Amino acid sequence: FRELVRRFDRNKVYESRLDAPGRLTLLTAPSSATVTLFVLEDDGAGRLVPRNSRALESSTPIRDLSLSRGSYLLIARAAGKRDTRIHVTIHRDKETALKVPLFSDEEIGGPDFIYVPPGDFLSGGDSRAMGSGPLKPVPLGEFFISRYEIRIREYAEFLEDILRSHGQDRVSPLVPLDSTIMIKSGRVTY
C-alpha cells in the first residue's frame, strides 16, 4: 500500500499522512498521577507484550502527547491509589482522549478485585468464529471484576447483601435466569 501511495502521490499530499502521529490526552481523577508508557509489541505468538518503558515527563493531565500509531500500555500511579493499567490504541492523525478515575484498594474491593478502566475493545474480525462480524471498536464503560472465579455461595451472599440494603426490586435483575439461585420469602437461596 505504501509503495502505491509513493508511486501515485505526485504532489506528496498523502505520503506524509501515512506516518503522521496520533495525539493522546489523559485526564485522571485525582490529577497529578505519574504515568509510565510502554509500547505494546507482538511477541510472535499473537500476544501484545510491553516493551520500551519510559516515564512521561509531566504528570496528569497530559494533553496532546504525540505518539506513533500503535498500541500502548500506560500505568498511572497516584498516592493512596492502586496502580491503574490503561491500554490505548493510537491511530494516525487522530486524537485519543481518556478520562480515567483512580481508585484505592478499598474502593476497588480489596486485592481480589481488579479495576478495568473505560475504553474501546476490538470486537469481531475472526473469520473462523461463527457470527463474528466485522472488526470494530466497541466502547466499554469502567467496571470492577474479581481476579478469581466466584462461587455460587459467594454470589448468593452478595445478592443477600443487596436484598437487605436495597430490597427485592434491586436484586431481582441480578439473579441469573438459568441458575439455582432464587429469592424466596425475602431470602436468597441456592
Side-chain angles (χ1 to χ4, degrees):
F1 180 75
R2 286 178 180 276
E3 186 54 41
L4 288 173
V5 170
R6 286 188 183 103
R7 189 178 321 153
F8 295 106
D9 186 20
R10 293 194 175 120
N11 297 326
K12 306 295 181 205
V13 174
Y14 298 102
E15 188 174 358
S16 65
R17 292 184 63 199
L18 287 176
D19 296 318
R23 293 169 317 287
L24 173 67
T25 295
L26 174 63
L27 309 175
T28 61
S31 60
S32 300
T34 61
V35 179
T36 304
L37 178 136
F38 296 85
V39 176
L40 291 174
E41 295 177 354
D42 191 316
D43 68 354
R47 292 181 302 250
L48 292 176
V49 294
R51 307 227 196 270
N52 306 326
S53 71
R54 70 175 168 124
L56 299 183
E57 293 178 15
S58 62
S59 54
T60 59
I62 295 168
R63 300 186 193 282
D64 287 325
L65 175 66
S66 180
L67 292 170
S68 298
R69 180 176 152 263
S71 292
Y72 296 87
L73 171 66
L74 308 171
I75 300 180
R77 293 179 174 94
K81 304 296 181 182
R82 187 186 293 173
D83 290 0
T84 300
R85 300 167 63 92
I86 307 156
H87 175 263
V88 62
T89 301
I90 300 296
H91 301 279
R92 69 174 158 249
D93 210 22
K94 291 193 178 179
E95 180 174 2
T96 301
L98 301 172
K99 295 179 183 177
V100 179
L102 306 178
F103 295 95
S104 67
D105 273 343
E106 185 177 295
E107 292 169 316
I108 292 172
D112 289 343
F113 282 84
I114 299 169
Y115 168 60
V116 179
D120 291 347
F121 77 93
L122 295 176
S123 175
D126 184 351
S127 60
R128 296 170 296 170
M130 186 173 1
S132 171
L135 182 66
K136 63 181 178 184
V138 176
L140 185 66
E142 67 187 22
F143 61 93
F144 301 100
I145 190 166
S146 175
R147 282 185 199 269
Y148 310 104
E149 294 177 7
I150 300 294
R151 301 186 192 298
I152 290 176
R153 176 185 49 79
E154 293 168 318
Y155 192 67
E157 289 170 2
F158 163 75
L159 293 175
E160 188 75 38
D161 226 23
I162 293 175
L163 183 63
R164 276 194 302 276
S165 59
H166 298 289
Q168 187 160 339
D169 290 342
R170 184 77 181 270
V171 80
S172 292
L174 302 175
V175 176
L177 295 176
D178 297 334
S179 170
T180 58
I181 297 175
M182 293 181 272
I183 301 173
K184 288 184 179 177
S185 307
R187 294 202 33 92
V188 176
T189 62
Y190 60 98

